[in-house]
Amino acid sequence: MDSTTKKLYTALGVIFIFLVWYISSIIIDNEIILPKIDAVFKALIKILGEKKTYLIIFSTLLRLLITIAISFIIGLSLGILSIKFSKVYAFLSPNIAMFRSIPVVSIIIILLIIFGSNLAPIIITSLVVLPIIYEGVYTSFKSIDKSLIDDITTISDVNIKVIKDVYMPMTKPYIISSLVTSFGFGFKVMVMSEFISQPNNSMGKVILYNREMLNMDVVFAWTLIIIFLVILFESILKKVKQTGE
């Protein structure tokens, strides 16, 4: 499929979503359950015209970027150790599996009690993102041709320089793929964590407040902002991945 055809079908998919939304809102005819498209876009325009909106978006994105940065450093370090020492991989496997299977809502409530509303969203999102990054790093290093690794080890031990100059360029596409997944999934978890823990200047808290006030047009407008931001940043990361290939 060429790029023009792909763009056409993507546009048709978007139109279909809005068509279903338009027809459903007419059938339901209840703004509290499903607000109409025009009401949501009026709310969206109003939201984008307020300075505080950008502070809220920046605060949530900053929490997410801090979380991904910390998770990436830990995930990269653990991935390298797991490749170098099989015992480390065996030790970490059940722990990573546990992190992946923890019910998010339950752990948010526990962490909220322990760490408070500001740290809880960062910690819970890191617990969700870390396994994705770790497995991406481990899989990418594991996929390197063993004969190449043998050639490298005959010349030098696996050190920081070898990792930076040899391993990292070869594993870059895999790692960026894990970052793309981490950002999209992490953003959703971050907003949900904020929704429950309600830190100041957060998208989750704004959504919760407007839901309680039954301002569903505002809730839908913020949801559109979240979808746009996820698509935007995932597109940027995919462009970076394509550039590096």
Side-chain angles (χ1 to χ4, degrees):
M1 184 187 296
D2 58 59
S3 60
T4 304
T5 305
K6 186 177 180 180
K7 288 178 182 177
L8 174 62
Y9 276 89
T10 300
L12 289 173
V14 173
I15 292 170
F16 176 75
I17 291 170
F18 280 100
L19 184 62
V20 171
W21 180 2
Y22 176 74
I23 294 171
S24 300
S25 65
I26 292 174
I27 294 171
I28 295 171
D29 194 25
N30 189 325
E31 291 287 333
I32 295 176
I33 297 175
L34 183 63
K36 292 183 170 57
I37 293 176
D38 60 337
V40 171
F41 275 90
K42 284 177 184 176
L44 179 61
I45 292 169
K46 183 180 178 182
I47 289 168
L48 295 177
E50 297 173 350
K51 290 182 180 179
K52 190 177 180 181
T53 297
Y54 301 95
L55 174 61
I56 292 168
I57 293 172
F58 174 77
S59 297
T60 294
L61 286 177
L62 182 61
R63 288 188 189 94
L64 179 62
L65 292 175
I66 289 171
T67 301
I68 290 179
I70 294 170
S71 299
F72 178 75
I73 293 169
I74 296 172
L76 181 63
S77 302
L78 293 178
I80 292 170
L81 288 172
S82 295
I83 287 292
K84 198 168 183 181
F85 306 104
S86 58
K87 290 179 181 178
V88 173
Y89 175 74
F91 174 80
L92 289 175
S93 292
N95 292 280
I96 295 298
M98 181 187 69
F99 287 154
R100 292 181 69 94
S101 59
I102 290 175
V104 176
V105 175
S106 301
I107 198 67
I108 289 173
I109 294 170
I110 295 169
L111 292 175
L112 178 59
I113 296 169
I114 298 171
F115 296 103
S117 61
N118 289 319
L119 282 178
I122 293 175
I123 295 172
I124 183 58
T125 307
S126 67
L127 290 177
V128 172
V129 168
L130 179 59
I132 298 172
I133 294 176
Y134 167 77
E135 289 177 356
V137 171
Y138 180 81
T139 303
S140 64
F141 275 76
K142 199 73 176 173
S143 66
I144 298 174
D145 190 347
K146 193 173 184 304
S147 60
L148 177 60
I149 297 174
D150 293 337
D151 291 340
I152 293 170
T153 52
T154 58
I155 301 170
S156 170
D157 292 331
V158 177
N159 52 44
I160 296 297
K161 184 172 174 54
V162 171
I163 290 170
K164 182 172 86 62
D165 296 338
V166 180
Y167 281 67
M168 292 305 293
M170 297 180 68
T171 58
K172 183 180 175 182
Y174 298 94
I175 292 173
I176 291 178
S177 293
S178 69
L179 288 174
V180 170
T181 305
S182 297
F183 188 89
F185 192 46
F187 201 173
K188 297 167 194 171
V189 173
M190 177 62 74
V191 173
M192 183 174 67
S193 303
E194 292 175 342
F195 184 87
I196 296 173
S197 58
Q198 300 178 54
N200 292 327
N201 295 321
S202 66
M203 299 172 89
K205 185 173 182 178
V206 171
I207 291 172
L208 175 62
Y209 172 78
N210 284 284
R211 191 207 66 172
E212 290 176 345
M213 295 294 105
L214 301 179
N215 299 327
M216 296 307 294
D217 54 341
V218 178
V219 172
F220 271 67
W222 273 104
T223 303
L224 290 178
I225 291 172
I226 292 169
I227 293 170
F228 171 77
L229 289 172
V230 170
I231 293 172
L232 175 63
F233 282 96
E234 286 186 351
S235 299
I236 292 171
L237 286 171
K238 284 177 182 177
K239 288 288 183 184
V240 171
K241 178 185 174 183
Q242 290 169 0
T243 303
E245 291 178 346

